[in-house]
Amino acid sequence: METINKFSRLDTFSMNLGNLAGLASETLQEVEPYLKHLGSVGEDTYTKLDADLTSMKSEMDRPSASLLTPAINEANRKCDAILNEIKRMVKAGTLSTIPDRAEAGRQLMYLLEGFRNLNREPLITQITMTNELLRRYNASPELINAAGVLGLAEIFKTLTEENSRLDTLYHDRLEKQAQTAPAATDRRSAVADGYTSLCSIVLKAANLHPETKELQTLFHVLDGLRKKYATLSPAKIDIRHAEVDPIPSQAYTGKHVTPIPTARYNGEDLIFPKDFTVTYRNNVKASASAVVTLRGRGRFTGQHERTFTIELKQ
């Protein structure tokens, strides 16, 4: 009986924009050489995804002239330099004639093997993968000891601090981007839908033509990308599942009225602005139609709206 291919699970709608853009971009690169095997529908889907991705990326890049960008670029260069120095010292350790140093080098080289060419990845992917590298390092007493043998303990500590700084700067820019370039978020659905459609076409073709090696190769390459990005995009909680308390009536002030909602998930209070940010509309004039929108952040995604009343003082 023929084996039926099936893609690994991946929730593209919970991915952040950077990872979604990276996934779609790598997928397009891998699919292009095999387009002739996917027919006219496959070619049309590929072309539309390419156009939607280009549009989304242009909107994502719009805040690049912001004051945060030079700081992000500098922090990124610093992280790259520190990581390169770690790789250099680890490689030198593997070549040492001193047994302890050589063994320490081999242990750390094995860790680094899974994180090669990080600087070729989208920035958010670099940040996330570096965090994963550091998590594995800090969870292993053997690796920490090996770093000590090679004189790398302080350098790993510095990488942790600098990558955390880069992560903060990047997400600060995302917050600014959400306010100044909402069109990038608006195009998320088109890119996610296009990616899903293209994968479905590849899957169907691979299962209909198991004898075509090119299609089997393409299926496995795309499945590898899905597994890679699944590890970078842990499942997030849709903030619509959170409980948001009714907002008490607010007094009219003639200015924007901006109450911060109280929300909780599974009995745990959500923290503003760690777990969610807020935007408002119709929140100046006295009415019963003022709206606050909670937008998930961190481990939360999606958005949740609440209306509230602005009352004239008696």
Side-chain angles (χ1 to χ4, degrees):
M1 183 177 178
E2 293 287 351
T3 300
I4 302 298
N5 292 315
K6 185 177 180 181
F7 276 126
S8 302
R9 185 181 181 280
L10 177 64
D11 182 7
T12 55
F13 289 92
S14 68
M15 297 174 71
N16 62 49
L17 286 177
N19 279 352
L20 178 59
L23 171 65
S25 180
E26 289 193 62
T27 298
L28 289 170
Q29 292 174 23
E30 297 295 348
V31 169
E32 185 178 14
Y34 301 96
L35 275 176
K36 64 182 181 181
H37 297 285
L38 302 179
S40 59
V41 175
E43 291 179 359
D44 290 345
T45 303
Y46 175 95
T47 300
K48 185 177 185 307
L49 174 57
D50 189 29
D52 288 333
L53 176 61
T54 299
S55 180
M56 187 176 83
K57 281 184 171 180
S58 69
E59 295 294 345
M60 289 172 66
D61 291 340
R62 241 172 47 174
S64 61
S66 73
L67 293 177
L68 277 176
T69 298
I72 290 173
N73 291 339
E74 177 59 29
N76 189 33
R77 283 193 291 269
K78 186 173 289 188
C79 285
D80 284 346
I82 295 170
L83 196 53
N84 286 335
E85 178 64 8
I86 289 174
K87 291 176 180 177
R88 185 192 69 78
M89 293 181 67
V90 167
K91 184 176 181 180
T94 63
L95 302 175
S96 175
T97 57
I98 302 173
D100 287 350
R101 292 182 64 82
E103 177 58 26
R106 284 191 290 270
Q107 290 178 355
L108 289 169
M109 183 64 77
Y110 183 76
L111 168 69
L112 296 175
E113 275 297 311
F115 301 90
R116 299 172 65 182
N117 302 321
L118 275 184
N119 59 348
R120 298 181 184 177
E121 301 284 355
L123 181 55
I124 184 58
T125 308
Q126 292 181 43
I127 294 169
T128 307
M129 292 183 72
T130 301
N131 280 333
E132 175 61 16
L133 182 153
L134 292 166
R135 184 192 69 77
R136 295 184 188 182
Y137 165 77
N138 287 309
S140 171
E142 292 81 7
L143 291 176
I144 293 173
N145 181 65
V149 170
L150 296 181
L152 284 169
E154 285 301 314
I155 298 180
F156 268 103
K157 181 179 178 182
T158 302
L159 178 61
T160 300
E161 294 170 350
E162 291 299 328
N163 196 62
S164 176
R165 176 172 171 267
L166 177 58
D167 193 2
T168 299
L169 287 169
Y170 181 85
H171 283 92
D172 283 348
R173 192 177 76 172
L174 281 185
E175 288 301 315
K176 185 173 183 179
Q177 175 182 311
Q179 298 169 10
T180 62
T185 303
D186 294 343
R187 289 182 173 88
R188 163 195 284 279
S189 293
V191 172
D193 286 340
Y195 166 80
T196 300
S197 296
L198 187 57
C199 284
S200 295
I201 291 169
V202 171
L203 179 62
K204 183 177 180 180
N207 284 331
L208 282 176
H209 302 285
E211 74 285 355
T212 305
K213 293 182 179 179
E214 292 86 351
L215 288 172
Q216 303 309 312
T217 298
L218 179 58
F219 166 79
H220 289 295
V221 169
L222 296 192
D223 196 47
L225 287 177
R226 293 173 72 90
K227 291 176 181 176
K228 168 185 170 181
Y229 279 89
T231 63
L232 302 180
S233 307
K236 292 194 175 186
I237 303 164
D238 193 321
I239 201 165
R240 287 177 297 180
H241 298 312
E243 178 186 351
V244 181
D245 291 348
I247 300 172
S249 295
Q250 305 289 305
Y252 171 79
T253 64
K255 301 178 181 179
H256 291 280
V257 179
T258 56
I260 302 299
T262 299
R264 63 187 60 82
Y265 179 77
N266 281 349
E268 177 188 350
D269 289 340
L270 273 60
I271 300 173
F272 170 83
K274 177 184 176 183
D275 296 319
F276 65 92
T277 59
V278 290
T279 56
Y280 303 87
R281 67 177 188 271
N282 302 331
N283 64 323
V284 176
K285 297 180 179 180
S287 75
S289 59
V291 180
V292 57
T293 301
L294 290 75
R295 298 182 187 277
R297 186 180 184 189
R299 61 194 174 114
F300 292 92
T301 188
Q303 59 186 53
H304 190 140
E305 289 190 349
R306 264 290 189 183
T307 58
F308 62 96
T309 298
I310 300 175
E311 294 182 335
L312 289 171
K313 295 179 181 179
Q314 298 297 324

